[in-house]
Amino acid sequence: QQQVKQSPQSLIVQKGGISIINCAYENTAFDYFPWYQQFPGKGPALLIAIRPDVSEKKEGRFTISFNKSAKQFSLHIMDSQPGDSATYFCAASPNSGYSTLTFGKGTMLLVSP
Amino acid sequence: DADVTQTPRNRITKTGKRIMLECSQTKGHDRMYWYRQDPGLGLRLIYYSFDVKDINKGEISDGYSVSRQAQAKFSLSLESAIPNQTALYFCATSDFSFRAGVSYNEQFFGPGTRLTVL
């Protein structure tokens, strides 16, 4: 069973702080690593994604760090805001036309005012 | 979310009843997926379809069946609902492409159906 292990399960961060969520994978065929954000009552939506040819990708306050040798990747949310409070899922898939996403179990982030 | 719609949004049913959840999309995507979400277990894939004539089992297909009626419609059925099928169900679509040797397969999720089986 292909797995993506995500931690922590929940996280409380003060406004302005840095939120860090970690994921680890086993399948070396994985080469696409997206993060999805889900607000209460909504479906998940793609937030940011990375491929293993780079070690870091930044979009605004959101950064993915990728360590291919350790088979780990993480999401960093800089200057966390209450509006960032949501559930975050990491995922992975191979570079194949017939692949599906394997999701982590999710992290509930609460940013306190 | 408006491009992927799910009906009903909420449903309460009894053990043993047959129930169908429906998904429609206006994105023109070939690929559609059904997931269930449970607290602490994340998103688990139930079934997926890469085109109208293609149906594949996912991680947790037991107790479920699907029908791909058209490119835009993908329904999930519980033939005989049981309480441990109480969950939040999501439909998703994606439009797969290969560009310069790299695959692109962003998934777009519907708003979800909250199903309670008593």
Side-chain angles (χ1 to χ4, degrees), chain A residues 5-6 11 13 15 19 36 46 52 55 57-58 63 72 85 91 93 96 101-102 110-111 113:
Chain A
K5 296 182 179 179
Q6 182 172 349
L11 181 62
V13 174
K15 179 181 176 181
S19 304
Y36 281 75
L46 180 66
S55 60
K57 183 173 182 180
K58 183 176 181 179
T63 299
Q72 295 176 346
S85 297
S93 72
S96 162
L101 285 173
T102 300
L110 176 64
V111 181

Side-chain angles (χ1 to χ4, degrees), chain B residues 57-74:
Chain B
K57 293 182 177 180
E59 178 186 354
I60 53 163
S61 59
D62 287 349
Y64 302 94
S65 62
V66 291
S67 174
R68 184 80 184 267
Q69 300 95 326
Q71 185 201 39
K73 296 185 181 295
F74 192 35

Side-chain angles (χ1 to χ4, degrees), chain A residues 93-109:
Chain A
S93 72
N95 187 32
S96 162
Y98 298 98
S99 60
T100 59
L101 285 173
T102 300
F103 284 90
K105 293 186 176 182
T107 296
M108 292 182 61
L109 171 66

Side-chain angles (χ1 to χ4, degrees), chain B residues 19-79:
Chain B
I19 184 169
M20 179 181 288
L21 308 183
E22 298 186 335
C23 177
S24 294
Q25 53 115 345
T26 59
K27 300 186 77 68
H29 291 169
D30 286 328
R31 301 186 174 198
M32 299 188 72
Y33 310 80
W34 275 105
Y35 292 90
R36 68 177 277 175
Q37 182 177 8
D38 300 275
L41 296 180
L43 292 162
R44 293 184 291 167
L45 184 61
I46 305 173
Y47 271 95
Y48 59 102
S49 169
F50 283 168
D51 64 41
V52 174
K53 297 180 180 179
D54 177 73
I55 299 289
N56 303 281
K57 293 182 177 180
E59 178 186 354
I60 53 163
S61 59
D62 287 349
Y64 302 94
S65 62
V66 291
S67 174
R68 184 80 184 267
Q69 300 95 326
Q71 185 201 39
K73 296 185 181 295
F74 192 35
S75 60
L76 176 72
S77 293
L78 288 68
E79 297 300 326

Side-chain angles (χ1 to χ4, degrees), chain A residues 1 9 31-32 36 38 41-46 51 87 89 94-101 103-106, chain B residues 1 9 31 33 35 37 40-43 45 48 50 59 90 96 98 101-107 109-111:
Chain A
Q1 177 70 35
Q9 187 172 359
D31 81 334
Y32 172 62
Y36 281 75
Q38 181 186 27
K42 303 291 187 181
L46 180 66
R51 296 186 187 273
T87 298
F89 295 97
N95 187 32
S96 162
Y98 298 98
S99 60
T100 59
L101 285 173
F103 284 90
K105 293 186 176 182
Chain B
D1 281 0
R9 293 294 313 279
R31 301 186 174 198
Y33 310 80
Y35 292 90
Q37 182 177 8
L41 296 180
L43 292 162
L45 184 61
Y48 59 102
F50 283 168
E59 178 186 354
F90 287 101
F96 179 84
F98 254 122
V102 177
S103 64
Y104 293 85
N105 198 20
E106 177 182 353
Q107 293 191 14
F109 285 79

Side-chain angles (χ1 to χ4, degrees), chain A residues 10-20 61 77-85 108-113:
Chain A
S10 63
L11 181 62
I12 300 175
V13 174
Q14 286 194 331
K15 179 181 176 181
I18 302 174
S19 304
I20 302 174
R61 295 183 294 107
I77 307 175
M78 311 300 289
D79 187 27
S80 298
Q81 299 296 312
D84 297 329
S85 297
M108 292 182 61
L109 171 66
L110 176 64
V111 181
S112 59

